[in-house]
Amino acid sequence: MELPSYRDGRLVLSLVTNEVFASYFAILAHKQPELAPVTPYSQYIEWLEQQDRQAASSYWSKVLEGYEEQSRLSQAKIQGKTGYLAERLDFDLARTSQLVFSA
């Protein structure tokens, strides 16, 4: 079983978003949503167990070569306090669906 390689979560988020909107619009049209078959997580674990750990270790050692410390996530400073700012975002569903389905 060959699994795709994802560098970050953007591709996964895009796939999930497309599936959610496709399901939503199918339901609006009184149709059954058509979902892709789901691969059981156990198959991923089986695939993972078959991987060459030494090769993976060598790969990541090369990729991370030169990094001396952990990456730090920045926090917003609000009125002298650190933390995250809660923000409300409103979206136009019709425009969003046009963007999603035109991609």
Side-chain angles (χ1 to χ4, degrees):
M1 177 170 117
E2 186 70 26
L3 293 178
S5 164
Y6 299 110
R7 295 222 176 244
D8 59 29
R10 288 181 288 186
L11 178 59
V12 173
L13 179 60
S14 173
L15 295 172
V16 170
T17 302
N18 287 342
E19 189 172 283
V20 167
F21 276 107
S23 297
Y24 175 76
F25 288 112
I27 291 168
L28 282 180
H30 302 288
K31 296 180 180 178
Q32 181 70 27
E34 295 180 25
L35 301 175
V38 177
T39 302
Y41 187 68
S42 60
Q43 285 186 9
Y44 169 70
I45 298 301
E46 290 171 7
W47 172 84
L48 195 57
E49 288 174 342
Q50 295 172 5
Q51 301 310 299
D52 182 343
R53 291 180 186 214
Q54 183 59 42
S57 179
S58 295
Y59 169 81
W60 285 110
S61 291
K62 288 176 187 172
V63 168
L64 299 173
E65 188 175 339
Y67 287 93
E68 305 264 333
E69 59 184 57
Q70 296 176 352
S71 296
R72 299 181 195 270
L73 298 176
S74 62
Q75 292 184 337
K77 291 187 178 181
I78 305 165
Q79 300 173 355
K81 298 180 181 178
T82 60
Y84 296 95
L85 173 64
E87 188 174 335
R88 178 186 168 119
L89 300 174
D90 294 311
F91 296 95
D92 179 306
L93 184 58
R95 178 69 180 134
T96 303
S97 66
Q98 289 173 347
L99 294 171
V100 168
F101 289 113
S102 68

